[in-house]
DNA sequence: CTTAGGG
DNA sequence: CCCTAAG
């Protein structure tokens, strides 16, 4: 419409000219949106960081906990924690990577926890932690940042069982505590683990084992947890500190954006993709590497073409590193294991009733399980003498991931996914620990082994071990194929991210957690818009935080990580490219309208004016679209493809194109003050002040 | 970061 | 859509 007016009256241009560029601030806003996507990833990192912090602070706790030892954990406490957590966690931590992740995670956890947190029971192992949780809450909170608290809480929740309470997820918490306590040293790692995993995982993850590199030793913990093998991990995971930083920065941006309520824009995605694609990241370790890495300590992932060896040296890697930590300290593949989580039974809550939930944490590789779950006590068996176990998460052996600084969070995620996938695909097998001892006799019954008794359930643990056998990972049955030992598909790894395509592209922000899961299954793209919208809404509030955890405590994680990963992995490469989103007629209309008013050459403004909320349309996209529209308008209708654009719009395109081309030409030539007229209008637009007749309207 | 263009 | 060279 405007356009017409313009045509009719040259003056319209006038109005156009009035248009000004949006203030920078606005511009930022747009960008901000884009960031959101990253948030997810960040979440992990954040979690990891959180975990780290928690651990650190937790140390103190741990000690206290240890002392408390058997205390019962009370659910209530958890709640408290949550509250605290809510308060700050994110922000504070965000500064550090951890915080962000944590926040995210936390939220998720919280949810779960809350659920679980109904009744804490205590378990022996858990006891240690519990005290912390239970009593600690307050104390902990004091010591720990909110975030930490939060994390802890989560852990507790996860561990609920250990206390005997909740779903029996308590373990996580305990683990954390343990980790912390013992390790002060490497809480991060633990944290990471925790993050990765569910609460359980956290608990599961044993710091001690994890420590291998870091050698975290869990004094108090150690007892309960067998640590033996952790040593293997080396954890070499290095996350580029830089990455982290960057991420942080990004993250921060994201967070801001989130506030804005927009999903990360494509731009970031792009960057990420670029990075990924480009040479920089090589993250995904390959199975072989994995092994090696494990042995060595780090897996090197190759990403695509480039080599990706990440050195710990660089900060960049730190980021990855952290992630890895999240996962576990271990190598990329396994470590965090978030991937590996398995929920045996169901939600803890339900389980609680009848089942005993045992959560097991896997350490993999040599790791032992840190704790188990505890579930509710007695009832577990209730049903038929079935032993019900709830494994919230498995710890993955450490993965070594290197990512370029420039890598986006999304890329990092992918990388991790790939690594995990590869790991899973490869040689992991599950080990059962009872009373910290490995149960080697597979032929024995649970009853015989003592696993059926509640008492033992607490002492039941599962570990992921690098197994000679690849097949054996029951847990990840779905993924088996993945095995991409690195050799086979370094590149594949990339693809592992695959889902990403959709995710990355379309869903950057939205996709986050839940979406991820779904995404794997669903094509996100189509939903993208919706997603974004959702994202917007969510973003501010929950998304950033919740995503990570929200969807899934343990279960979801698995689903997400595992399944999707596999699929994605192969495609990873392509994934990078944004999904194609043909412009709808309405979009074209909006574009034409905006261009008529603003002219060509001010794509940022066009974007702001007509696609402010279309995060998936960048100004570059608009410019490109305009280019194609102009082309389309010039060719015969028969030659046109795709959704037909109304001729009326094409006509306007041509008119606007001609009009603005002229303007540009004039400008270049420097407006000669000669004749104005149409020119005038142009001049206005350009901001040229011409003595224009006073035409109003 | 934006533009402008080529791929 | 992507990628890049130039502002």
């Amino acid at each position: 419409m405007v356009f017409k007016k313009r045509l009719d009256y040259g003056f319209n241009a006038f109005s156009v000219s009035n248009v000004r560029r949006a203030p920078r601030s606005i511009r930022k806003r747009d960008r901000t949106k884009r960031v959101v996507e990253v948030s997810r990833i960040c979440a992990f990192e954040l979690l990891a960081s959180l975990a780290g912090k928690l651990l650190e602070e937790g140390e103190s706790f741990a000690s206290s906990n240890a002392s408390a030892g058997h205390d019962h954990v009370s659910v209530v406490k958890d709640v408290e924690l949550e509250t605290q957590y809510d308060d700050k966690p994110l922000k504070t931590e965000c500064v550090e990577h951890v915080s962000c992740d944590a926040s995210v995670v936390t939220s998720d956890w919280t949810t779960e926890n809350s659920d679980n947190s109904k009744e804490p029971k205590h378990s022996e192992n858990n006891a240690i932690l519990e005290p912390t949780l239970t009593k600690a809450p307050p104390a902990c909170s004091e010591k720990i940042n909110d975030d930490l608290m939060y994390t802890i809480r989560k852990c507790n929740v996860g561990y609920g069982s250990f206390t005997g309470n909740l779903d029996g997820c308590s373990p996580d918490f305990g683990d954390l505590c343990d980790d912390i306590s013992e390790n002060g040293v490497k809480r991060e790692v633990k944290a990471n683990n925790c993050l990765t995993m569910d609460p359980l995982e956290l608990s599961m993850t044993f710091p001690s084992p994890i420590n291998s590199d870091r050698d975290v030793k869990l004094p108090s913990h150690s007892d309960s947890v067998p640590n033996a093998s952790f040593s293997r991990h080396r954890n070499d995971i290095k996350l580029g500190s830089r990455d982290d930083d960057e991420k942080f920065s990004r993250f921060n941006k994201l967070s801001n954006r989130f506030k804005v309520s927009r999903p990360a824009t494509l731009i970031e995605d792009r960057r990420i993709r670029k990075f990924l694609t480009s040479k920089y990241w090589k993250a995904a370790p390959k199975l072989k590497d994995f092994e090696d890495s494990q042995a060595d300590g780090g897996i090197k992932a190759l990403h695509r073409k480039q080599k990706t060896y990440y050195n710990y040296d660089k900060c960049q890697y730190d980021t990855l590193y952290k992630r890895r930590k999240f996962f576990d300290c271990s190598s990329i593949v396994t470590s965090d294991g978030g991937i590996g989580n398995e929920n045996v039974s169901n939600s803890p809550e339900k389980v609680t009733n009848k089942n005993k939930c045992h959560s097991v944490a896997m350490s993999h590789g040599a790791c032992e399980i840190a704790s188990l779950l505890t579930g509710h006590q007695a009832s577990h068996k209730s049903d038929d003498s079935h032993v019900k176990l709830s494994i919230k998460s498995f710890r993955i052996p450490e993965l070594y991931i290197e990512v370029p600084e420039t890598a986006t969070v999304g890329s990092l995620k992918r990388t991790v996914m790939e690594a995990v996938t590869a790991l899973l695909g490869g040689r992991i097998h599950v080990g059962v620990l009872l009373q910290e001892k490995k149960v080697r006799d597979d032929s024995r019954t649970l009853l015989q082994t003592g696993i059926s008794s509640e008492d033992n359930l607490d002492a039941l643990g599962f570990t992921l071990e690098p197994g000679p056998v690849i097949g054996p990972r029951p847990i990840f049955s779905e993924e088996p194929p993945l095995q991409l030992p690195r050799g086979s598909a370094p590149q594949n790894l990339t693809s592992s991210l695959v889902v990403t395509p959709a995710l990355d592209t379309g869903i950057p922000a939205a996709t986050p957690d839940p979406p991820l899961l779904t995404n794997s299954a669903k094509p996100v793209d189509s939903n993208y818009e919706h997603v974004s919208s959702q994202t917007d809404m969510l973003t501010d509030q929950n998304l950033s935080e919740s995503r990570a955890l929200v969807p899934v405590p343990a279960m979801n994680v698995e689903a997400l990580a595992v399944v999707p990963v596999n699929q994605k992995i192969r495609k990873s490469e392509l994934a990078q490219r944004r999904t194609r989103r043909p412009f709808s007629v309405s979009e074209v209309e909006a574009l034409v309208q905006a261009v008529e008013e603003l002219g060509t050459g001010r794509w940022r403004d066009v974007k702001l004016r007509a696609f402010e909320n279309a995060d998936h349309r960048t100004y570059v996209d608009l410019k490109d679209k305009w280019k194609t529209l102009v082309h389309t308008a010039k060719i015969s209708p028969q030659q046109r493809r795709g959704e037909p654009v109304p001729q009326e719009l094409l006509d306007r395109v041509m008119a606007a194109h001609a009009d603005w081309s002229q303007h540009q030409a004039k400008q270049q030539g420097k407006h000669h003050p000669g004749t104005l007229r149409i020119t005038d209008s142009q001049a206005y637009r350009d901001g040229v002040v011409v003595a224009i007749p006073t035409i109003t309207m």
Side-chain angles (χ1 to χ4, degrees), chain A residues 21-39:
Chain A
R21 283 198 169 194
R24 283 280 172 188
S25 61
I26 292 171
R27 291 183 182 181
K28 284 186 178 180
R29 273 184 74 206
D30 291 350
R31 292 164 195 160
T32 317
K33 296 174 182 178
R34 297 166 190 173
V35 178
V36 174
E37 198 184 12
V38 175
S39 63

Side-chain angles (χ1 to χ4, degrees), chain A residues 180-435:
Chain A
I180 294 168
S181 62
E182 293 179 34
N183 349 334
V185 177
K186 304 191 166 187
R187 325 169 183 123
E188 290 180 357
V189 172
K190 280 189 158 191
N192 294 334
N193 292 336
C194 292
L195 292 176
T196 324
M197 309 303 283
D198 297 347
L200 289 180
E201 280 191 2
L202 291 178
S203 52
M204 296 307 289
T205 41
F206 310 75
S208 44
I210 295 168
N211 304 344
S212 55
D213 287 359
R214 304 162 173 226
D215 299 338
V216 175
K217 295 182 176 181
L218 310 180
S220 52
H221 222 23
S222 51
D223 298 350
S224 57
V225 178
N227 3 329
S229 24
F230 285 110
S231 56
R232 289 184 181 180
H233 300 291
R234 357 181 162 24
N235 326 299
D236 308 34
I237 302 168
K238 300 174 178 181
L239 298 182
S241 49
R242 280 192 70 193
D243 283 358
D244 291 354
D245 292 350
E246 289 180 354
K247 288 182 178 180
F248 273 84
S249 55
R250 289 181 183 175
F251 196 93
N252 292 341
K253 290 179 180 179
L254 290 177
S255 60
N256 293 339
R257 291 184 181 181
F258 278 107
K259 291 179 181 179
V260 173
S261 74
R262 288 191 178 185
T265 54
L266 295 180
I267 293 171
E268 282 190 350
D269 291 348
R270 284 186 181 178
R271 285 185 178 179
I272 293 170
R273 286 188 230 134
K274 272 191 175 180
F275 293 132
L276 294 178
T277 320
S278 21
K279 341 149 175 203
Y280 303 103
W281 67 289
K282 299 178 176 180
K286 298 178 179 182
L287 293 181
K288 289 181 179 178
D289 292 350
F290 174 75
E291 288 179 351
D292 294 350
S293 63
Q294 284 183 337
D296 296 351
I299 292 171
K300 295 178 180 180
L302 295 183
H303 183 50
R304 275 196 168 194
K305 304 171 182 178
Q306 296 181 345
K307 300 174 179 179
T308 47
Y309 296 90
Y310 298 92
N311 295 335
Y312 300 83
D313 304 354
K314 299 179 180 180
C315 298
Q316 296 175 343
Y317 301 68
D318 290 350
T319 305
L320 293 180
Y321 188 36
K322 288 181 178 180
R323 286 184 181 178
R324 270 151 215 70
K325 286 183 175 181
F326 294 39
F327 293 86
D328 199 342
C329 310
S330 36
S331 48
I332 297 169
V333 177
T334 18
S335 60
D336 297 16
I339 296 169
N341 299 348
E342 185 177 303
N343 288 343
V344 175
S345 46
N346 346 332
S347 55
E349 296 173 354
K350 293 179 179 179
V351 172
T352 317
N353 296 341
K354 296 178 179 179
N355 309 334
K356 296 175 180 180
C357 302
H358 295 283
S359 21
V360 177
M362 309 224 21
S363 46
H364 109 17
C367 313
E368 297 172 352
I369 297 170
S371 47
L372 315 176
L373 3 149
T374 44
H376 292 317
Q377 44 201 339
S379 16
H380 337 323
K381 292 180 179 179
S382 60
D383 297 348
D384 358 324
S385 46
H386 279 80
V387 177
K388 295 183 181 180
L389 302 179
S390 168
I391 299 173
K392 297 206 168 179
S393 62
F394 280 101
R395 187 188 187 81
I396 298 174
E398 91 179 49
L399 298 177
Y400 177 80
I401 299 170
E402 291 188 6
V403 179
E405 297 177 356
T406 51
T408 58
V409 173
S411 66
L412 178 60
K413 287 181 178 181
R414 293 174 189 170
T415 301
V416 173
M417 285 290 285
E418 292 177 356
V420 172
T421 302
L423 188 59
L424 293 178
R427 359 336 294 221
I428 294 176
H429 78 266
V430 174
V432 175
L433 297 175
L434 184 59
Q435 308 286 10

Side-chain angles (χ1 to χ4, degrees), chain A residues 4-34:
Chain A
K4 285 185 176 181
K5 289 180 181 179
R6 273 190 18 189
L7 292 177
D8 296 347
Y9 315 89
F11 299 84
N12 291 341
F14 187 85
S15 61
V16 172
S17 63
N18 292 341
V19 176
R20 298 174 187 173
R21 283 198 169 194
R24 283 280 172 188
S25 61
I26 292 171
R27 291 183 182 181
K28 284 186 178 180
R29 273 184 74 206
D30 291 350
R31 292 164 195 160
T32 317
K33 296 174 182 178
R34 297 166 190 173

